[in-house]
Amino acid sequence: MTQNKTPQLSIDQKIAMMKNAATINVDTLFYLWENYWSGTKGNRDQFAEIAQCILQMEILHINSILILFNGTPMIPHLKKRTIIDIPSMASILRSLYEKVFIFNNLFVEQENSIEKEIVLYIWKIRGLHNMKLPQAPQEAKKYIQKYNSSRMQIKDFKQKAISRLEELDITENAKQSFHKEISKSDTSIKGYKFIKDAQTQQIKEFKILSFSTSPKEVFPKEDLTILYGFLSSQSHPSFLGILQFGQMYNSDEYKERALTILNSICKFQQVIVRDFCNAFPKAKELLDKMPKEQTKYLLQNEIREDDNIQDDF
């Protein structure tokens, strides 16, 4: 018996389909943020304040990439000579992933309020270490007050984190790892995980997570290490990134890269809404009240090929 096979979609159709899904998703994320912001006025702690700022930045990153799909002119006044700027998309997507990871680590990964506070203190300390004084004396005078204030904040946050750590059941080795990490004058952002003994639940390791090895922490069922490596190679002036830029526009390879970026955006959007709702139950209540047509791409495991295809890429 002959079976009727569903015709395969073209690369342009797949891109159009995923772009449509990503656009619906980001609209939903915006309305979720807007409703959460207005619905929690006067009732938000520091975690919610920081989280909603990260969510806004994630929404902006996604919209920036979607705008780039309209094409970027090599020369502004020659509108017809445009390209799909894959390297710029990859750079923004890399920044998006890093925010998705940090959000997860700050607000979802930690098992209790003490661990969450400690990780938040370290995150704040790393951020404040970016405050530097200009070398020129006259310029330095303008910022000396803010600089000194940031040093005082670092000292205060460090003391508070150490004090909170003492409330945990933790081994000496894990404690030493923590003290070593919090004492660094480093500006690089890391994630952290308190690894516990399965029997005693005592913290046996203070694990440091880097972006390059972190995808499995956010996507436990998927290995996105290769994706992060690709985004990094495209974002940095590496030999491979420059070589691939010179080659991808000689064929439809750039379309394959564009589809990878859109697939990644949709995956990240699902994690964003999952983590925001897990961290803040009020957001979950708001999401549940939204029309199913508005949330279907955020909640379903995969986007079907018959979902509103528009071949307009």
Side-chain angles (χ1 to χ4, degrees), residues 32 277 281 283-292 295 299:
L32 178 64
C277 290
K284 179 65 166 63
E285 293 175 17
L286 295 168
L287 184 72
D288 289 341
K289 293 177 182 177
M290 289 185 176
K292 298 300 180 184
T295 62
L299 303 178

Side-chain angles (χ1 to χ4, degrees), residues 7 26 48 91-92 97 128 131 140 144 146 167 178 180 190 238 247 251 305:
V26 77
S91 183
I92 299 171
Y97 165 72
L128 289 171
M131 180 75 72
I144 188 67
K146 287 185 177 180
E167 300 177 43
F178 162 81
K180 182 179 179 181
K190 305 288 184 183
S238 67
Q247 294 173 341
S251 65
E305 293 190 354

Side-chain angles (χ1 to χ4, degrees), residues 197-255:
D197 183 275
Q199 301 297 323
T200 65
Q201 289 302 297
Q202 183 183 40
I203 298 168
K204 62 179 182 179
E205 180 185 358
F206 181 68
K207 187 177 180 181
I208 301 169
L209 307 171
S210 66
F211 289 130
S212 60
T213 58
S214 63
K216 63 180 177 296
E217 303 298 332
V218 184
F219 302 91
K221 295 181 180 179
E222 299 181 65
D223 182 7
L224 298 186
T225 307
I226 294 175
L227 172 66
Y228 189 77
F230 161 71
L231 297 177
S232 297
S233 71
Q234 296 296 312
S235 304
H236 298 149
S238 67
F239 168 69
L240 183 61
I242 303 302
L243 177 66
Q244 291 177 339
F245 175 80
Q247 294 173 341
M248 76 172 77
Y249 295 103
N250 293 324
S251 65
D252 278 353
E253 184 181 349
Y254 77 95
K255 293 184 180 182

